[in-house]
Amino acid sequence: MPTIAYPETKRVNVVEEHFGQKVADPYRWLENDVRNDKEVAAWVEAQNKVTNAYLNTLPSRDIFKNRLKQLYNYERFTIPVKKGGRYFYLYNSGLQSQRVLYVRDSVDGAGRVLIDPNSWAKDGAIALAEWSASDDGKRVVYAVQDGGTDWRTIRVLDVNTGKVQGDEVKWVRFSPTIAWAKDGSGFFYARYPEPKQGTESQASVANHAVYFHAIGTPQAQDRLVYATPDQPTLGHYLSITEDGCYIAIVSTPASIGNKLTVVDLKSADWKPRKLVDNLDDRWHVVGNVGTKFFLMTTKDAPRFKVVTMDIAAADPVITDVVPEQDSVLSNASLVGGRLFTSYLVDVQTEVQRYTLDGKADGVVKLPGIGTAIGFEGDQNDQETFFGFTSFNAPGVIYRYDVASNTARVWTQPKVAIDLNRIAVEQRFYKSKDGTRVPMFIVRRKDVTNPAPTLLYAYGGYAITEPPAFSAERLAWVEQGGVFAHAHIRGGSEYGKAWHEAGRRQKKQNVFDDFIAAGEYLKAQSITPQNGLAIQGRSNGGLLISAVVNQRPDLFAAALPQVGVMDMLRFDQFTGGKLWLDEYGSPAQEADFRNLLKYSPYHNIQSGKDYPAILATTADTDDRVVPSHTFKYVAALQAADIGDKPHFARIETRAGHGAGKPTDKIIEETADMWAFAAHWTGLDVKPAK
């Protein structure tokens, strides 16, 4: 195999001492912003040139790209939101760069385009992000996301005329909900202070705050509703009750417990009232009936339960409505006079119904084994919707009648693949310490011998990624490959304990679980000895690069995406301080020593034969800044770790993932799959 000529990367003499230990950081200069530093920009250009030259030699690249275009070319709807008798939803006809906001005047009426972001930029990289329709259905507030950034600009649209109004709100970030006031006079949102000019992409974010914007007024007059200047790392996530009487604010540093505050909008002063003022447990507002709030909580229930709290009392009493069960409660909602609860049963959804006093009222029959989401709506409306998906079932949306407990198909996509050929099975394997870990395995039904395998996991932040349809993964499976998804610790598949077992000082359990998954796949003759590729994004990118350092012999190829690679400096950039509760603080000695043990950038083992690595990032990612990947790849290329390629693929005009245009997704996936196919021996053939 010819030696790859990597671009020369300058080394600098940066050595810092932490708790008596000296740590070198020779690629510190790559932390500079690619848009402001010509030297970093030249390095990125040189890396992409070498990477693309190699990828151009892989014949399966074009095969995957063409097939992905076919597999992606199907209709995709989001669950409709009913406001003022109208139905609002996002829609992509197939290969559109961005999803389009539509409205229907009746449940089965014709859709009308409200907002089409595909006209906003020639490269398709400006996206419609968060949006919300007013209660009367006459206005939509929506957020604009440019080039994948986490920053948003909010605007308002008149639904009847289709005209954008003059309102503009900037520097919105991490505000998944934009909530209209009941009377439509304005909306609530969360934002950070405006950063200094030129630092938008890398500035550390702090002092999140909730504001109210009155329609027709300048942003400078927006009313501050809630902030915690004494705790600048808290993020504040808001919701408004259906009756419009209260704003509920969940405040959390990341993924552990949260505080809970309510604001009585009927009062003149909007004085915040703290209902929960500690981070011991997680709280989520389900809904309310007057002053009685329905809440999901992990208090005395690590797998969640539903409780009520009457806030009319000076010291509200917490009363169980639906006690904790063996399965994990993942969502609850009040619709049509019923309480709907969704449970994860070994990572598969089951939906139960209750009366509001907690009496069992049957179950919702789902179309199969998979994932159901939705069941949102008004308490007085017998109509709601839910979506259902699985590895071999594209997202079907159902209209559900609460009174009769029946559902009918509202939208059902047609995909360019025979899904009856795809088999999905769930298995359980033991990790290093004996913990039982679930894993889904997806392959063609006729694939019975060991086959090149793509193993994926996330493992952090109490995030669970249940079974879902993926055109990208099916492109791999269709070629005779195996896709495996390990639900390792760090998520919330089995509740709070499952997350805690993969957090901070226990992070090594996450890596052990993933390594055990790879060993299991080989031991069970699902995967050949030299045919295992691994993939993960963000925290999952950290996972992939960490396990490669620990067990380079186990893997043939690795695809770490937008990963957190420097565990000693992650808190220095953008939202990194928000991750301290998940990883621990490099400024604390015990945490520092634990982080240094697995930090991908600091643990590359010269003298070991490493798998082929294609690390992907984006030049404008302002959540996990690209310098993590830049420094990691520079260190890989400088190390004595064998002759297999170790590349960076650096996307332009893209961020952490959200808002990425369809064509960029297809191109990146084709590159990754072609790379993994080559190094695992997957025989890729053109589609017939």
Side-chain angles (χ1 to χ4, degrees):
M1 182 186 302
T3 302
I4 297 168
Y6 297 116
E8 184 176 345
T9 303
K10 177 182 70 176
R11 294 174 62 93
V12 294
N13 185 26
V14 175
V15 179
E16 295 176 337
E17 186 169 313
H18 303 266
F19 306 104
Q21 184 163 351
K22 291 183 178 180
V23 180
D25 189 2
Y27 304 111
R28 176 74 62 87
W29 65 277
L30 285 171
E31 292 179 354
N32 294 340
D33 192 331
V34 67
R35 286 161 292 191
N36 303 328
D37 189 306
K38 292 182 179 179
E39 198 172 12
V40 175
W43 184 89
V44 167
E45 184 179 358
Q47 289 288 337
N48 274 338
K49 185 176 180 180
V50 171
T51 301
N52 285 327
Y54 178 85
L55 293 172
N56 281 334
T57 69
L58 303 177
S60 65
R61 186 191 199 189
D62 286 338
I63 296 174
F64 275 121
K65 183 176 179 180
N66 292 333
R67 185 56 178 144
L68 282 162
K69 285 182 180 178
Q70 295 172 333
L71 290 171
Y72 250 95
N73 196 12
Y74 72 96
E75 291 184 309
R76 298 185 291 283
F77 292 78
T78 60
I79 297 170
V81 175
K82 186 178 180 181
K83 294 291 182 181
R86 289 169 161 164
Y87 299 80
F88 298 84
Y89 58 94
L90 295 174
Y91 171 78
N92 190 314
S93 61
L95 296 176
Q96 290 176 289
S97 290
Q98 302 291 346
R99 300 183 299 182
V100 179
L101 182 64
Y102 277 74
V103 64
R104 294 183 183 185
D105 291 328
S106 61
V107 67
D108 295 316
R112 172 167 63 93
V113 174
L114 278 182
I115 302 172
D116 183 359
N118 295 292
S119 63
W120 293 347
K122 290 183 179 179
D123 65 356
I126 302 181
L128 169 64
E130 299 79 15
W131 61 274
S132 176
S134 60
D135 272 34
D136 59 10
K138 293 181 179 180
R139 288 193 183 108
V140 168
V141 59
Y142 64 97
V144 178
Q145 178 189 24
D146 190 350
T149 178
D150 278 337
W151 294 111
R152 307 285 198 263
T153 298
I154 291 179
R155 300 186 186 279
V156 178
L157 180 88
D158 185 295
V159 174
N160 290 326
T161 65
K163 292 183 178 180
V164 179
Q165 299 184 217
D167 299 79
E168 182 179 76
V169 175
K170 294 184 175 181
W171 307 114
V172 177
R173 188 169 184 160
F174 303 149
S175 185
T177 300
I178 306 170
W180 281 97
K182 188 74 173 177
D183 61 4
S185 60
F187 54 84
F188 299 86
Y189 66 96
R191 57 161 291 191
Y192 286 97
E194 180 177 350
K196 293 181 181 179
Q197 189 171 358
T199 68
E200 298 89 349
S201 65
Q202 291 191 316
S204 182
V205 294
N207 294 308
H208 211 212
V210 176
Y211 287 86
F212 175 75
H213 174 79
I215 295 298
T217 64
Q219 181 175 356
Q221 295 179 14
D222 287 2
R223 181 174 179 177
L224 177 63
V225 178
Y226 186 70
T228 53
D230 57 325
Q231 295 176 290
T233 62
L234 288 181
H236 305 300
Y237 305 94
L238 66 104
S239 61
I240 191 166
T241 55
E242 183 187 323
D243 58 14
C245 294
Y246 301 95
I247 283 286
I249 301 167
V250 165
S251 302
T252 180
S255 58
I256 53 171
N258 59 266
K259 302 184 178 189
L260 179 62
T261 302
V262 295
V263 177
D264 185 348
L265 299 178
K266 303 186 302 299
S267 65
D269 58 3
W270 287 5
K271 184 179 180 180
R273 177 185 176 188
K274 293 180 179 179
L275 297 180
V276 178
D277 196 22
N278 61 68
L279 297 172
D280 297 339
D281 303 292
R282 294 172 69 185
W283 299 84
H284 170 69
V285 176
V286 175
N288 72 307
V289 178
T291 58
K292 181 191 287 187
F293 274 63
F294 288 76
L295 304 157
M296 283 176 55
T297 183
T298 56
K299 182 176 176 58
D300 302 322
R303 292 183 298 277
F304 280 102
K305 62 182 177 180
V306 179
V307 301
T308 57
M309 179 191 296
D310 193 336
I311 66 170
D315 187 14
V317 174
I318 297 170
T319 304
D320 286 4
V321 176
V322 180
E324 182 184 30
Q325 300 187 15
D326 291 338
S327 305
V328 178
L329 176 65
S330 59
N331 192 42
S333 58
L334 297 178
V335 182
R338 294 292 186 273
L339 172 63
F340 289 84
T341 57
S342 296
Y343 288 90
L344 281 180
V345 182
D346 287 331
V347 207
Q348 301 170 36
T349 305
E350 291 184 2
V351 181
Q352 300 177 10
R353 293 165 47 119
Y354 292 89
T355 59
L356 298 194
D357 57 1
K359 294 179 181 177
D361 189 46
V363 299
V364 177
K365 185 178 180 182
L366 298 178
I369 295 173
T371 303
I373 59 172
F375 299 99
E376 304 293 337
D378 293 346
Q379 294 181 38
N380 296 323
D381 196 341
Q382 294 297 309
E383 176 187 59
T384 186
F385 296 82
F386 70 90
F388 180 83
T389 184
S390 190
F391 293 113
N392 56 355
V396 179
I397 296 175
Y398 293 85
R399 179 181 179 273
Y400 176 80
D401 183 87
V402 177
S404 62
N405 191 12
T406 59
R408 69 169 176 86
V409 171
W410 189 67
T411 61
Q412 183 165 17
K414 295 180 180 179
V415 293
I417 183 173
D418 181 5
L419 294 173
N420 291 321
R421 299 175 60 204
I422 308 300
V424 180
E425 61 176 316
Q426 186 178 42
R427 297 203 185 184
F428 297 87
Y429 65 93
K430 287 188 176 181
S431 188
K432 182 178 180 178
D433 62 1
T435 298
R436 179 176 179 263
V437 183
M439 177 164 59
F440 287 98
I441 297 170
V442 186
R443 52 187 165 176
R444 285 196 335 234
K445 290 178 179 177
D446 63 335
V447 174
T448 54
N449 294 322
T453 300
L454 184 65
L455 172 61
Y456 172 89
Y458 184 78
Y461 291 93
I463 290 172
T464 299
E465 297 178 316
F469 185 80
S470 166
E472 300 102 297
R473 292 165 178 171
L474 284 177
W476 176 271
V477 170
E478 185 183 49
Q479 289 289 349
V482 176
F483 172 75
H485 186 164
H487 288 272
I488 59 180
R489 283 174 283 186
S492 59
E493 284 84 346
Y494 295 104
K496 185 177 180 180
W498 198 250
H499 174 221
E500 291 291 340
R503 189 172 73 90
R504 297 187 71 135
Q505 296 290 329
K506 297 179 180 178
K507 188 68 174 176
Q508 184 59 41
N509 287 335
V510 175
F511 310 138
D512 289 343
D513 288 359
F514 191 82
I515 289 168
E519 292 174 332
Y520 174 87
L521 290 166
K522 292 184 179 184
Q524 294 295 310
S525 296
I526 295 167
T527 305
Q529 291 303 309
N530 60 349
L532 182 58
I534 55 175
Q535 179 207 5
R537 299 190 76 261
S538 194
N539 172 76
L542 158 63
L543 163 70
I544 298 307
S545 48
V547 298
V548 164
N549 284 337
Q550 295 182 14
R551 284 293 306 277
D553 60 299
L554 189 60
F555 315 112
L559 305 169
Q561 298 178 263
V562 291
V564 187
M565 308 303 198
D566 185 345
M567 300 309 297
L568 302 188
R569 287 179 59 77
F570 70 85
D571 60 334
Q572 301 297 308
F573 306 99
T574 62
K577 285 185 170 61
L578 307 179
W579 314 338
L580 293 172
D581 286 288
E582 182 72 15
Y583 298 134
S585 172
Q588 302 295 323
E589 183 172 2
D591 288 342
F592 162 79
R593 299 200 181 282
N594 183 56
L595 291 165
L596 185 59
K597 285 180 183 177
Y598 69 80
S599 178
Y601 175 53
H602 298 94
N603 286 281
I604 296 166
Q605 298 187 63
S606 281
K608 295 289 183 75
D609 189 20
Y610 266 50
I613 299 172
L614 179 62
T616 59
T617 188
D619 62 354
T620 56
D621 188 342
D622 54 10
R623 189 173 308 180
V624 179
V625 291
S627 60
H628 280 282
T629 296
F630 295 175
K631 292 167 65 175
Y632 168 68
V633 169
L636 285 174
Q637 292 176 353
D640 176 20
I641 53 176
D643 295 330
K644 292 176 182 175
H646 306 119
F647 292 131
R649 184 193 186 280
I650 304 156
E651 187 61 84
T652 58
R653 287 272 293 156
H656 198 59
K660 184 179 288 187
T662 301
D663 60 346
K664 287 184 184 288
I665 294 172
I666 289 172
E667 289 172 3
E668 181 182 56
T669 304
D671 288 353
M672 292 192 301
W673 283 191
F675 186 84
H678 179 78
W679 290 102
T680 59
L682 182 67
D683 184 15
V684 180
K685 299 176 181 178
K688 296 179 180 178

